[in-house]
Amino acid sequence: MTVMNNPFTEPTTFSTSEIVAARNAFLQYELNKQVELLTVMPHEECMAVLGHCSVAHVHQLLERLYAQGHQRLAHQYALSLGVMRPHRSLFTGLGTWGHRRRAKLFAYLSLVLVVAAVSYLSVFVFA
C-alpha cells in the first residue's frame, strides 16, 4: 500500500513510469543513504518517490530525518503526504528539545552564580 492514492495530491510533471523507476532506484540504497538523498533532492521529486513508497517505510524515513536534525523537512514531507502525525515518536523530540534547552539554561545560570560567588569571596581573601 502506498502513502497516498488520492486524486487531490499535488500534480507532478513526471509520468508514472518515471516515478516508479525513480522509486525503484531510490529503494536500492540503504536507509541512511535514502535519508541523505531526501535532504538534497528537489521537493517535487521527493513527493513523487515517497508517494509511491509504503506507509511504514515513509514513517521510518521521516523519523530518521527528524532524528538527524531535519525536523522542518520531515514536518514538511509529512504534511505534504498527509501523514501529519505518523507516530508519536516522530514529534517527541520537541519535548526533549525543551528539556535540553532548560538544562543548558540551568547550567549557564549555575556557572554565573559560581563566578559571582567566587568574585565576592575573593574580595575578602585579597583585601
Side-chain angles (χ1 to χ4, degrees):
M1 180 177 165
T2 58
V3 174
M4 295 292 288
N5 287 328
N6 189 343
F8 301 111
T9 57
E10 299 174 10
T12 63
T13 57
F14 307 110
S15 69
T16 304
S17 60
E18 289 174 324
I19 294 171
V20 170
R23 183 206 57 198
N24 291 340
F26 179 78
L27 293 176
Q28 289 179 353
Y29 292 104
E30 293 181 9
L31 196 60
N32 289 331
K33 181 65 175 176
Q34 291 175 6
V35 171
E36 182 183 327
L37 287 171
L38 289 176
T39 62
V40 296
M41 288 171 55
H43 180 77
E44 186 178 5
E45 289 179 27
C46 288
M47 290 299 94
V49 168
L50 292 175
H52 283 79
C53 290
S54 70
V55 174
H57 189 69
V58 170
H59 285 194
Q60 274 187 313
L61 291 170
L62 292 178
E63 286 178 356
R64 292 261 178 120
L65 269 173
Y66 196 88
Q68 291 181 8
H70 300 284
Q71 291 88 0
R72 183 173 288 172
L73 191 59
H75 184 73
Q76 182 181 6
Y77 289 155
L79 280 175
S80 296
L81 291 167
V83 289
M84 180 53 198
R85 287 187 162 246
H87 294 295
R88 279 195 153 313
S89 62
L90 179 61
F91 294 99
T92 54
L94 294 175
T96 57
W97 175 83
H99 183 0
R100 285 191 310 255
R101 179 88 176 187
R102 282 191 299 272
K104 284 182 182 178
L105 181 62
F106 179 75
Y108 176 74
L109 291 176
S110 297
L111 179 64
V112 169
L113 182 62
V114 166
V115 169
V118 168
S119 297
Y120 179 74
L121 293 175
S122 68
V123 170
F124 294 114
V125 173
F126 296 113

